[in-house]
Amino acid sequence: MVSEPYWAKVRGPLAAYVAGFRDQLLRLGYTPLTAAGHVRLMAHLSKWLAGRGLTASALTTATVQAYFAQRRAAGYVNERTPRALAPLLAYLRELDVVAVEQPPAPSGPIEVFLRRYQEYLLAERGLAASTAGLDVRLARPFLATRVRADGQLDLAGLGAGEVAAFVVAQSRQQPRSAKRIVTAVRSVLRFAHVAGLIDQPLAEAVPSPAGWTLTSLPKGLSPTQVAALLAGCDRTRATGCRDFAILTMLVRLGLRAGEVAALALEDVDWRRGELIVRGKGHREDRLPLPADVGQAIVAYLQHGRPAAASGRTVFVRAQAPYRALTSNAVTTVVLTAARRAGLGEVAAHRLRHTAATAMLHAGVSLAEIGQVLRHRRALTTALYAKVDVAGLRVLARPWPGAAA
């Protein structure tokens, strides 16, 4: 028996917006019971605002935090964090009732420098926001070593020895992150030189960690494992239909998780049988659309993708609000499917290796595999030569001795 939703009466400064908010929740795909829960929270918040003589426009970050602090103190067990108000605040911002708060201005010399550095990475270097954010985070400990006693940032007196000493110390503390730390330090030193904060290019003074190329072995799934991975998707349900399409794209085309998440409806050229893939470095490439991939996408669009989905991405969340998936969500789809199939922990990138090794075993050349995977360097694709046992057997020299 399905419970009937209880729609709370909203009084106070938010009463004028309840009808529109309720309609938007239902339009976005929220169930009536879930939408009614959001309206009850709205009613409670409106009463709290009225008791303090505040209007809807007073819903700043500080006000929201104060509201939830009191809600927790009162013993409420549900809706205890600002995240619960995200749908309501988004609606009020669309109406310009609540202002979109600007991030606070950076305080302190390090934060001012990092803000300029991040803008440089995004605008001048064209890096993705996630990559730029990681560079900024890794650069902060390095800059902290250059703060003088008076609190000012001193880069003018920086020398190659100090740079090398920092990198060596960090590499010992975080050996697995050594290569990424080196990349970030070189990047921030290049920016400091371009910005005129240091008078010599110190990026070349950063020591490189020891490393050997092509040492690992690509670990793709076998055809039996791929079949189990796909068979675990319940294609009679919308979520299973979506997950099957995602997994099929990853296995057949070797796309990255972010590329699947970014795929838009207009990126599928049905007449030409092609996909536009938006990859690293803002690259756009066209790939052939295999028949089975196209059929999986069509099945999802016809029977799985919610009519209330917002945006133009092909794949969206399984629960309201039906927004675009993130790359992390695509990875979660793979992890969940792998566990369900009894394959353990399988990341999305492993399916990229699966696609490459499948093409190799089918007789596709390394050059053609590199084109499908959109590798910038042939050396990257050369890694897959190590799993071509038949090809390597021809090159193997016989073992010296009588037994040979």
Side-chain angles (χ1 to χ4, degrees):
M1 180 177 179
V2 179
S3 302
E4 289 295 324
Y6 165 67
W7 300 97
K9 180 71 174 178
V10 180
R11 298 181 176 84
L14 299 182
Y17 311 106
V18 62
F21 180 52
R22 172 178 170 173
D23 290 343
Q24 173 154 308
L25 290 173
L26 297 176
R27 186 171 61 254
L28 290 175
Y30 287 88
T31 66
L33 285 175
T34 303
H38 282 287
V39 171
R40 286 196 297 274
L41 180 62
M42 181 185 191
H44 188 264
L45 173 63
S46 188
K47 181 179 179 181
W48 183 86
L49 291 171
R52 285 153 183 76
L54 300 175
T55 63
S57 61
L59 284 172
T60 62
T61 299
T63 304
V64 170
Q65 290 175 344
Y67 164 71
F68 280 103
Q70 184 163 335
R71 185 175 172 87
R72 289 190 296 270
Y76 283 87
V77 295
N78 297 321
E79 292 87 32
R80 294 163 53 89
T81 66
R83 184 177 179 181
L85 276 183
L88 175 59
L89 293 177
Y91 174 68
L92 294 177
R93 289 186 182 116
E94 288 179 7
L95 300 179
D96 292 328
V97 175
V98 174
V100 177
E101 295 185 56
Q102 299 298 323
S107 58
I110 291 181
E111 297 307 318
V112 171
F113 176 92
L114 289 176
R115 174 67 63 86
R116 290 180 57 194
Y117 175 51
Q118 187 169 33
E119 292 172 353
Y120 159 80
L121 293 176
L122 295 173
E124 302 297 331
R125 295 287 310 282
L127 299 185
S130 57
T131 305
L134 179 58
D135 282 338
V136 167
R137 182 171 63 83
L138 293 176
R140 185 175 277 108
F142 173 67
L143 296 174
T145 65
R146 304 303 305 166
V147 177
R148 300 194 308 245
D150 60 359
Q152 297 302 310
L153 188 62
D154 178 22
L155 293 176
L158 187 63
E162 295 162 305
V163 172
F166 172 82
V167 171
V168 170
Q170 288 292 306
S171 298
R172 288 172 177 168
Q173 295 175 13
Q174 308 176 66
R176 293 187 177 182
S177 304
K179 290 185 178 180
R180 194 61 186 84
I181 292 171
V182 165
T183 300
V185 173
R186 284 177 178 162
S187 174
V188 77
L189 288 174
R190 289 191 186 100
F191 167 71
H193 186 238
V194 169
L197 301 175
I198 56 177
D199 57 5
Q200 53 184 329
L202 291 175
E204 300 305 320
V206 180
S208 299
W212 295 266
T213 60
L214 304 180
T215 56
S216 60
L217 188 67
K219 296 180 180 179
L221 300 182
S222 68
T224 302
Q225 291 173 319
V226 170
L229 190 74
L230 297 175
C233 299
D234 183 359
R235 295 158 66 184
T236 63
R237 301 172 61 89
T239 303
C241 200
R242 181 201 66 186
D243 293 352
F244 181 83
I246 289 174
L247 294 170
T248 302
M249 291 188 68
L250 292 170
V251 168
R252 293 283 281 115
L253 295 173
L255 300 185
R256 302 177 180 92
E259 293 167 347
V260 173
L263 186 70
L265 295 172
E266 52 270 20
D267 291 338
V268 187
D269 191 334
W270 297 106
R271 290 186 178 275
R272 294 185 178 182
E274 293 179 338
L275 284 178
I276 297 177
V277 180
R278 307 178 190 280
K280 287 184 175 181
H282 305 289
R283 282 183 54 180
E284 291 187 8
D285 298 283
R286 284 185 173 270
L287 289 181
L289 178 62
D292 54 347
V293 176
Q295 291 167 359
I297 295 175
V298 167
Y300 170 63
L301 294 178
Q302 290 181 339
H303 309 296
R305 191 175 189 272
S310 60
R312 299 288 297 172
T313 57
V314 172
F315 301 108
V316 298
R317 288 162 40 100
Q319 295 180 338
Y322 300 117
R323 301 193 183 102
L325 290 182
T326 63
S327 59
N328 287 337
V330 173
T331 297
T332 301
V333 167
V334 179
L335 288 170
T336 303
R339 291 169 185 157
R340 187 169 55 234
L343 302 178
E345 300 291 318
V346 176
H349 206 75
R350 190 170 172 188
L351 300 188
R352 185 169 169 86
H353 294 321
T354 301
T357 53
M359 285 187 283
L360 188 66
H361 293 152
V364 180
S365 69
L366 287 176
E368 291 170 320
I369 293 173
Q371 291 176 351
V372 174
L373 299 183
R374 289 151 288 114
H375 286 156
R376 294 178 182 269
R377 301 184 305 157
L379 184 62
T380 306
T381 316
L383 176 67
Y384 295 104
K386 299 171 65 174
V387 299
D388 186 5
V389 178
L392 292 175
R393 185 175 288 116
V394 176
L395 301 176
R397 301 284 302 259
W399 189 260

